[in-house]
Amino acid sequence: MPVSKRDKKISLTKVSKAPKAKPAFVEKVRSLVNHYKFIYVIKLVNSRNQRLVDLRRELNDSVLLFGKNKLMMIAFGRDKTQEIKPGLYKLGKFIKGQCALLFTNRNLDEVRGVFNQFRSADYARPGVEAEQTVILGAGPIPKFAHTLEHPLRKLNLPVKLNRGIVTLESDYEVCKKGHTLTPDQCRILKYFEVQISEFQVNILAIWRAENGKVEDVVESDASNVITSLYPKIRVQCETYQGECCYFSQVPIGDEEDKGNEQQEMEVL
């Protein structure tokens, strides 16, 4: 006799439901407030998992916490009547976008020093803003195999084969600082080994337990951020001792730009 589709086994065992994550997160934030002198609201730029792991390892005496912004604001208190510590609710206005909380006993200078130490460059991803203007210098590119000529032309690069060597016929601006990068631009930057995406941590605000004051440090902290990226660079393929080929990145200043513009005007 065929088994009926309505014949279903129903388990009569009782399973205890797991506690909800939201109240647990709020309680965790509130418990951390009582153990640390400073709370920083920070923003991660061009975040990478490995760099976060290294940063957590360096800040092993502190707690770096990620979570939903609304839950963070609830934990600190919506207003003065709900705050668990004096002035803590004022941090809520800085919790916007992709941010995190750092609970620590280190002062502002120490924290900024750690963040500057852990900055690192990486290849940019599509959809982010370019942090540099990158120009490819015209000339032969012996570092590339001749088979790359066709893929490069597909990316709209003015290249051709000259005696079997890929050659860039004219200078080419890959991207401009502040403009959103496309997938093709990111692919070109990777071909030429240009890393313009720098992992940085910006400090937005700080709460001090000793006086309950919240300080906006966006502008003052920005002046202390160390970066290794120049606003504009020129990439050229160089040869070392006639054997090893590499890409050199030379910063371009405003004076050089003006000189190039004058030369172009004279030619016209």
Side-chain angles (χ1 to χ4, degrees):
M1 184 176 179
V3 179
S4 174
K5 292 183 179 180
R6 296 181 181 178
D7 185 16
K8 295 181 180 179
K9 293 182 179 181
I10 301 175
S11 178
L12 300 178
T13 58
K14 293 184 179 180
V15 180
S16 59
K17 294 183 179 180
K20 293 184 178 180
K22 291 182 179 180
F25 179 82
V26 172
E27 289 302 320
K28 182 178 181 180
V29 173
R30 289 177 175 174
S31 64
L32 289 172
V33 171
N34 298 320
H35 293 86
Y36 295 95
K37 298 178 182 178
F38 305 102
I39 302 176
Y40 296 88
V41 180
I42 61 176
K43 181 180 180 182
L44 303 177
V45 181
N46 299 318
S47 177
R48 299 292 188 270
N49 289 337
Q50 186 56 47
R51 300 308 292 167
L52 280 178
V53 172
D54 297 338
L55 187 60
R56 287 181 188 274
R57 190 179 294 115
E58 176 66 23
L59 296 170
N60 55 8
D61 58 346
S62 309
V63 177
L64 183 59
L65 194 64
F66 293 86
K68 291 186 177 181
N69 293 350
K70 286 186 178 180
L71 294 180
M72 295 179 187
M73 295 169 68
I74 291 173
F76 290 150
R78 294 281 189 177
D79 51 38
K80 194 172 183 179
T81 60
Q82 297 178 352
E83 65 181 4
I84 58 175
K85 289 282 186 178
L88 195 58
Y89 79 97
K90 295 179 182 178
L91 276 180
K93 67 178 182 180
F94 298 98
I95 303 176
K96 298 177 182 178
Q98 295 182 348
C99 61
L101 300 176
L102 177 65
F103 298 83
T104 183
N105 291 324
R106 304 190 187 193
N107 59 36
L108 184 59
D109 292 336
E110 289 180 291
V111 172
R112 170 41 58 198
V114 173
F115 290 161
N116 284 339
Q117 178 185 351
F118 276 84
R119 76 185 192 282
S120 62
D122 201 348
Y123 292 111
R125 295 174 178 175
V128 302
E129 286 188 0
E131 298 183 27
Q132 283 182 310
T133 298
V134 180
I135 297 176
L136 305 179
I141 314 174
K143 187 175 176 66
F144 288 158
H146 68 278
T147 53
L148 277 179
E149 185 260 348
H150 183 64
L152 292 174
R153 274 198 291 111
K154 275 191 169 183
L155 295 172
N156 296 322
L157 285 175
V159 294
K160 68 174 184 178
L161 281 178
N162 187 5
R163 296 182 180 180
I165 298 176
V166 178
T167 304
L168 192 65
E169 295 184 286
S170 60
D171 288 357
Y172 183 83
E173 185 178 83
V174 181
C175 59
K176 205 162 190 174
K177 185 177 180 180
H179 291 198
T180 303
L181 291 171
T182 64
D184 285 351
Q185 288 174 322
C186 293
R187 202 170 292 117
I188 293 172
L189 292 173
K190 199 164 186 178
Y191 272 129
F192 286 83
E193 301 176 2
V194 181
Q195 297 180 336
I196 66 171
S197 182
E198 190 172 53
F199 171 71
Q200 291 182 353
V201 184
N202 299 329
I203 303 175
L204 305 181
I206 176 176
W207 174 82
R208 294 179 172 86
E210 59 180 1
N211 53 19
K213 289 185 178 180
V214 173
E215 183 182 355
D216 182 350
V217 295
V218 174
E219 294 183 3
S220 60
D221 180 67
S223 60
N224 296 323
V225 176
I226 298 176
T227 178
S228 57
L229 299 179
Y230 292 95
K232 192 172 185 178
I233 61 171
R234 179 186 180 89
V235 181
Q236 197 79 40
C237 186
E238 306 284 353
T239 304
Y240 179 70
Q241 294 183 350
E243 297 179 358
C244 181
C245 298
Y246 65 96
F247 291 112
S248 65
Q249 300 180 15
V250 181
I252 299 177
D254 295 335
E255 295 181 359
E256 187 173 345
D257 284 344
K258 292 179 181 178
N260 293 336
E261 290 178 2
Q262 289 178 357
Q263 289 179 1
E264 291 177 1
M265 291 294 292
E266 290 175 1
V267 171
L268 293 174

